Amino acid sequence: MRPRVSPTPRWWAGAAGTAAGLSLVVVTALWTANEGLSEVARGGWTGAGAAGRLAALWSADLMLLQVVLMARIPLVERAFGQDKLARWHRWTGFTSFQLLLVHIVLATLSYAQGERVVAQFVEFVADYPGMLLATAATAALVLVVVTSVRRARRRLRYESWHLLHLYAYLGVALALPHEIWTGRDFTGSPAARAYWCGLYAAAAGSVLIFRLGMPLWRTARHRLVVDHVVPEAHGLVSVYLRGRRLDRLPVRAGQFFVWRFLDGPGWSRGNPFSLSGPPNGDQLRITVKGLGDGSSRVSTLRAGTKVLIEGPYGRLTAESYRGGPVTMLACGVGITPLLALLWDLPYGHGQATLVYRARRAEEVAFLDEIEWLADQRGVRLVPLIGPRAHQASWLPAEYADYSDAEALREIAPDIAGHDLYLCGPDPWTAAVRTAARAAGVPAAQLHRERFGW
C-alpha cells in the first residue's frame, strides 16, 4: 500500500508568494530606517551611494530567495510545481545579478565622487574587508549567469551546465563576509541583524535539509539498486529498480526523481527521470532516452548498481485530475510519466485517450502495456507518426490541411470537457497547449510540467 501524500492547501501558495514579496518591503523599510531615504533626498554622490546600498540589499534578498526557490522544499514544490519555480528562479537570478552590478557601479562612483573610478575600484578590492571574497563571489555569479543564457545553455551538456550552476551557492557564501564586515544596512540595527541572519539561516537550512539531508536519508532508508535493464524502443531503455520499504516512499505516478547511479566516474552528476510505471511498493521503473552523457550510459548499467535518489518531485499527478474524460498527449520519451498516469488515474472504461507522437514507428514504446490498457480499461490510442506537417507544427504531415485546434477537435471531439496532460519537448508542448486553448480547453484543465533546463 502506497503512503498517502496529503494535498497542499490552496491558500498556501498565495501565502508563500505574499511572504516573498514582503521580504523586499522589509528590506526597503530597514534601509529607510538606516537613513537611506534621507540620503537619497540629499542627492549627489551621497544619494548615489545610498541607492547603491538599496540595490545591494534587494540583490542579496533576491539571491537568497532564489536559493530557497530551488531548495526542493516539498510544500513549495507541491504548491507551485517545478516548472513555475524554475521560471521564478531564473527571473530572481537575473534580476539579482543586475542589481548587484548597479550596486558595484554606484558604490564605486559615490566613493570616487566621479574621479579616479578605476583606482577607487582597485582600492575597494585590495583594502576593504571582505572585498576579495566578494570579488570572487561576483566572478562565480558571472559564470552562472553567462551559462544560464539560453543560447549558452544550448551549447552545453546538461551535466556540465548543472555542475557550473552549483557555483551560485559558492557566490552566496563568499558574499557573506563582505556584507557582515562592511554592510552597515546588514548590521546597523538589531532588526537588520535579526532579519539577515534569519534569512541566511533559512536559505542554508533549506539546502542542507532538503537538497542534502532528505536525499541521503531516503537513499539510506530505501537502498535502491538496479535490478535489470530492458530495451523498449529505438534509443529507449527501461531501468527496473528494487529496494526496501518502497511502500513507504511518498511518490505518485507522474513524478520524477533526480538519479545518480554509482557506476563509476560521473556518478555525482544527477539526471531527472520520470517514473514510467506506477509505484507498486515492490519496484520502480524509469525509462530513459540516450541524449546526454548521463542518460546514454544508463543502458550499460549492471544489476546491483547502487542508486542515490533525490525527490520525488512534480505535480503531474492524480491530484490535479477532476474525474471524467482525460486525454494524454505525449511526444517521444514524454510517454513515460503519462503512461504511469494511465495506470493510476481512476477514469471510467473508455474515458481515456492517449495521443502518442513519434517521428518513426520504431520509436513507439510500451505497445504491450498500451494494448492491455486498451483492452482492460478502454484506453483509445491515437498514434501520430511521421515528419512534421510544417516546421512549427506538433502534428504529422497527414494533418497538414488542419489547423492545430481543428486537428485536436478531430482527435477528441469533446476535448473542451477533458483534463489534458502534456509531456514532451518544450516547443512541442507549447504548441499543443496553444492548440488546446484555441479548442476551448480551460487553462485549469491543462496539466504539464516542463523538464527543460
Side-chain angles (χ1 to χ4, degrees):
M1 186 170 198
R2 280 177 291 164
R4 186 175 179 271
V5 181
S6 301
T8 304
R10 291 182 181 274
W11 60 265
W12 200 91
T18 301
L22 282 176
S23 68
L24 292 174
V25 175
V26 171
V27 164
T28 306
L30 292 171
W31 169 81
T32 301
N34 199 26
E35 301 183 358
L37 194 59
S38 61
E39 290 180 5
V40 167
R42 291 178 209 165
W45 298 118
T46 299
R53 294 197 337 259
L54 181 59
L57 295 170
W58 283 349
S59 174
D61 191 79
L62 289 174
M63 191 181 301
L64 292 171
L65 179 60
Q66 182 188 27
V67 171
V68 172
L69 282 173
M70 297 306 285
R72 311 288 198 182
I73 302 171
L75 269 177
V76 176
E77 288 271 333
R78 293 203 297 270
F80 298 105
Q82 188 59 212
D83 53 344
K84 185 177 290 186
L85 289 175
R87 290 197 300 272
W88 291 349
H89 175 77
R90 282 178 55 80
W91 181 88
T92 55
F94 282 117
T95 304
S96 172
F97 182 72
Q98 290 160 4
L99 287 167
L100 175 62
L101 295 181
V102 170
H103 163 65
I104 292 171
V105 170
L106 289 180
T108 305
L109 287 174
S110 67
Y111 273 79
Q113 298 191 1
E115 300 177 0
R116 301 178 62 250
V117 175
V118 174
Q120 179 62 61
F121 179 78
V122 172
E123 182 182 340
F124 270 153
V125 175
D127 298 337
Y128 278 64
M131 280 301 298
L132 279 174
L133 293 176
T135 303
T138 303
L141 294 174
V142 167
L143 180 63
V144 172
V145 169
V146 168
T147 56
S148 294
V149 174
R150 284 191 174 88
R151 184 172 295 180
R153 292 205 323 269
R154 294 191 189 105
R155 296 176 178 271
L156 289 171
R157 299 175 303 165
Y158 169 82
E159 294 82 3
S160 300
W161 172 85
H162 185 265
L163 184 62
L164 291 171
H165 212 64
L166 296 178
Y167 279 93
Y169 294 117
L170 180 64
V172 173
L174 291 178
L176 182 59
H178 162 63
E179 294 166 355
I180 293 174
W181 294 338
T182 63
R184 74 184 229 204
D185 291 288
F186 288 89
T187 59
S189 71
R193 286 195 296 273
Y195 176 79
W196 287 107
C197 287
L199 194 57
Y200 262 97
S206 297
V207 171
L208 290 174
I209 293 170
F210 299 109
R211 294 302 298 262
L212 294 175
M214 187 173 286
L216 290 174
W217 178 75
R218 283 188 174 152
T219 294
R221 185 187 195 198
H222 298 292
R223 298 183 187 179
L224 280 167
V225 297
V226 174
D227 189 75
H228 60 285
V229 179
V230 177
E232 297 288 358
H234 180 72
L236 287 178
V237 296
S238 284
V239 181
Y240 289 80
L241 303 116
R242 53 184 167 82
R244 6 173 258 164
R245 299 182 183 174
L246 295 186
D247 58 316
R248 306 298 297 274
L249 185 63
V251 60
R252 305 184 69 164
Q255 291 189 303
F256 67 96
F257 290 86
V258 176
W259 304 85
R260 292 175 173 86
F261 297 99
L262 307 185
D263 61 335
W267 67 266
S268 61
R269 296 191 291 268
N271 284 271
F273 301 131
S274 298
L275 298 185
S276 57
N280 59 19
D282 296 322
Q283 67 175 13
L284 301 176
R285 182 182 72 184
I286 60 173
T287 302
V288 180
K289 184 173 184 178
L291 296 173
D293 289 353
S295 55
S296 295
R297 79 169 196 265
V298 168
S299 62
T300 66
L301 291 173
R302 295 183 178 182
T305 300
K306 295 181 180 179
V307 185
L308 295 177
I309 56 171
E310 184 183 336
Y313 305 126
R315 294 202 308 167
L316 202 69
T317 67
E319 188 176 324
S320 58
Y321 177 53
R322 302 170 307 128
V326 59
T327 294
M328 309 278 184
L329 295 109
C331 181
V333 75
I335 185 63
T336 55
L338 301 190
L339 180 63
L341 276 173
L342 277 175
W343 283 99
D344 191 59
L345 292 184
Y347 51 84
H349 193 277
Q351 286 189 314
T353 297
L354 172 63
V355 181
Y356 195 164
R357 178 78 174 96
R359 185 172 293 274
R360 298 187 299 271
E362 57 266 29
E363 295 175 355
V364 176
F366 303 113
L367 277 178
D368 289 344
E369 291 185 36
I370 295 170
E371 289 175 359
W372 189 95
L373 288 166
D375 181 60
Q376 299 297 318
R377 300 195 60 187
V379 173
R380 184 170 68 98
L381 173 64
V382 181
L384 299 179
I385 311 298
R388 297 178 187 174
H390 53 82
Q391 185 62 31
S393 179
W394 63 278
L395 294 158
E398 65 184 280
Y399 286 91
D401 294 334
Y402 291 79
S403 72
D404 284 359
E406 288 170 346
L408 204 50
R409 290 195 193 98
E410 177 73 16
I411 291 168
D414 54 348
I415 191 74
H418 290 204
D419 271 308
L420 264 65
Y421 290 82
L422 320 176
C423 194
D426 283 351
W428 186 86
T429 55
V432 176
R433 188 178 186 279
T434 300
R437 297 292 285 127
V441 180
Q445 294 169 211
L446 285 166
H447 315 292
R448 68 164 180 166
E449 191 130 37
R450 298 176 63 237
F451 299 98
W453 52 278

